[in-house]
Amino acid sequence: MSNLPKNYKPVLGVKETEHAIVSIKDFFQLTLSTELNLTRVTAPLFVPSGMGINDDLNGVEKPVSFNVKGMNGQKMEIVQSLAKWKRLKVTEMGMKPGFGIYTDMNAIRPDEELDAVHSLYVDQWDWCMAIDEKDRTVFYLFDIVKKIYRTLKRVEFFLYDRYSMLEPVLPEDIKLIYSDDLLREYPGMTAKERENAAAKKYGAIFICGIGGKLPDGSIHDGRAPDYDDWELNGDIIVYYPVLDIALELSSMGIRVDEETLLHQLEQAGCPERAELAFQKALLNHELPYTIGGGLGQSRICMFCLRKAHIGEVQSFTWPPHIVKHALENGTQLL
């Protein structure tokens, strides 16, 4: 919580903020779906355990789970994201390359560390699009990144047109940076420090290549081995002047193909996951090639409304010491 700004005053009051959140969400999802040819679908809150469907995020987080009465004790897991479920849904709906789905996803990530930009509750637009095998390239990936960035820019102007005090701060273009180049440009820094430095320099960046080992043997950030291709994925990050930090708004990427899945499972030390239902379906060529990701709803609202804490745009039960610290810094949590 130490990164809350002193003498902070929110631009909009609580009531105006609630109205603006609705406007942002309505406008953003309509614009995004138009840019990427996405159809809205309904998302599950939980999925069966042991099927390999739930998102393991960095590969170590444990989901909230429970047994279902009347289903022979079937164990269910609250979703952490819908990375793999979406690929199954695109398959089920028979989406052609260049078309896909998006959904309003709500998740619980109990291992998350609470701070000004993280809570245990995650709300994001999860999306997934079918692609041709020939489009599994960094060029195609960055074309999609630029379309998403255009959507962010449009939302920023949409709000400015209604609230003139919320002046746009995003640069005209987003900068593509590979994680290994970032390491060479900022030696001696941690991954988070490198993100902060690059975001401050360029205003908006897409860090490509997350999950695999860098030249020094480290990884930029963790990724589960069975959804993103670690060479064809990345994070959309913007510089956020209110907190003077790099703020990640999206994690996305081209999804693994059969060969990449086996290679990454081996690298991650969990080749046995190839026997799970989702992974077996992929290896049996039953799933299409896809690209997909998630866009944080509360993060985007926080950025657009220049809020100092994610709790100003998201209703959540915070520990008393966080509430106290926020109030001392002029921050009213919902």
Side-chain angles (χ1 to χ4, degrees):
M1 294 294 294
S2 59
N3 60 349
L4 284 179
K6 294 182 178 180
N7 303 316
Y8 165 73
K9 291 184 179 180
V11 178
L12 302 180
V14 173
K15 186 175 181 180
E16 284 182 308
T17 295
E18 294 281 15
H19 291 166
I21 289 171
V22 175
S23 297
I24 292 169
K25 291 186 175 184
D26 287 346
F27 183 85
F28 186 91
Q29 62 185 343
L30 177 61
T31 307
L32 180 72
S33 63
T34 304
E35 276 282 2
L36 299 185
N37 300 323
L38 305 177
T39 297
R40 189 189 185 282
V41 298
T42 301
L45 180 58
F46 45 84
V47 293
S49 180
M51 302 290 286
I53 299 174
N54 204 357
D55 184 354
D56 295 307
L57 304 174
N58 294 320
V60 296
E61 290 87 348
K62 294 180 180 179
V64 176
S65 62
F66 58 94
N67 294 318
V68 181
K69 184 178 179 181
M71 292 182 64
N72 298 319
Q74 169 68 58
K75 189 177 181 181
M76 295 288 183
E77 297 175 352
I78 303 293
V79 297
Q80 299 195 106
S81 88
L82 296 170
K84 288 174 283 206
W85 177 87
K86 291 176 296 185
R87 195 165 184 176
L88 294 172
K89 190 68 175 178
V90 165
T91 306
E92 175 190 316
M93 296 180 69
M95 289 291 183
K96 303 288 186 184
F99 296 88
I101 61 172
Y102 80 95
T103 190
D104 193 351
M105 188 279 294
N106 297 285
I108 297 176
R109 297 179 180 174
D111 290 333
E112 198 73 78
E113 294 287 340
L114 301 180
D115 60 25
V117 296
H118 295 91
S119 74
L120 305 186
Y121 169 66
V122 179
D123 54 343
Q124 65 183 28
W125 289 287
D126 252 335
W127 64 275
C128 183
M129 180 199 306
I131 61 174
D132 286 317
E133 184 176 9
K134 66 177 176 61
D135 290 325
R136 299 191 75 258
T137 69
V138 71
F139 305 105
Y140 186 87
L141 171 64
F142 196 49
D143 280 343
I144 299 299
V145 169
K146 287 185 285 188
K147 289 182 178 182
I148 294 173
Y149 187 68
R150 281 201 298 268
T151 301
L152 292 169
K153 292 269 293 175
R154 287 172 182 164
V155 171
E156 199 179 36
F157 174 75
F158 170 80
L159 275 177
Y160 176 57
D161 198 36
R162 285 151 183 77
Y163 305 99
S164 60
M165 65 287 282
L166 295 171
E167 294 188 17
V169 296
L170 290 174
E172 189 62 29
D173 299 307
I174 185 169
K175 173 75 172 178
L176 170 65
I177 305 176
Y178 291 92
S179 56
D180 52 351
D181 288 334
L182 199 63
L183 176 63
R184 282 187 285 270
E185 186 174 354
Y186 300 103
M189 291 187 179
T190 66
K192 183 54 66 177
E193 288 169 344
R194 295 195 294 270
E195 288 182 3
N196 288 337
K200 200 164 188 176
K201 178 178 179 180
Y202 297 107
I205 56 177
F206 179 71
I207 300 178
C208 185
I210 295 178
K213 287 187 177 180
L214 297 171
D216 66 352
S218 68
I219 60 171
H220 183 81
D221 198 2
R223 286 292 186 277
D226 47 11
Y227 61 95
D228 274 353
D229 184 320
W230 289 343
E231 294 184 0
L232 297 172
N233 72 341
D235 291 340
I236 295 175
I237 296 173
V238 298
Y239 173 65
Y240 190 40
V242 175
L243 296 179
D244 189 29
I245 61 168
L247 183 65
E248 178 191 324
L249 298 182
S250 175
S251 174
M252 58 174 289
I254 291 174
R255 303 316 198 191
V256 291
D257 61 8
E258 299 81 10
E259 181 180 348
T260 307
L261 172 62
L262 290 176
H263 176 65
Q264 292 184 178
L265 288 177
E266 191 68 36
Q267 277 195 311
C270 53
E272 70 281 357
R273 289 186 65 84
E275 297 302 315
L276 296 174
F278 172 86
Q279 288 77 359
K280 287 180 73 172
L282 176 56
L283 292 172
N284 289 334
H285 304 277
E286 297 171 11
L287 306 180
Y289 298 111
T290 58
I291 183 174
L295 289 139
Q297 294 184 18
S298 290
R299 290 271 185 96
I300 290 172
C301 290
M302 178 183 175
F303 175 82
C304 289
L305 299 177
R306 310 294 185 254
K307 297 296 186 179
H309 197 287
I310 199 166
E312 294 180 89
V313 295
Q314 180 191 95
S315 182
F316 182 73
T317 302
W318 298 92
H321 72 279
I322 288 183
V323 176
K324 180 175 182 291
H325 182 74
L327 287 174
E328 288 172 351
N329 285 272
T331 307
Q332 183 176 352
L333 307 183
L334 298 181

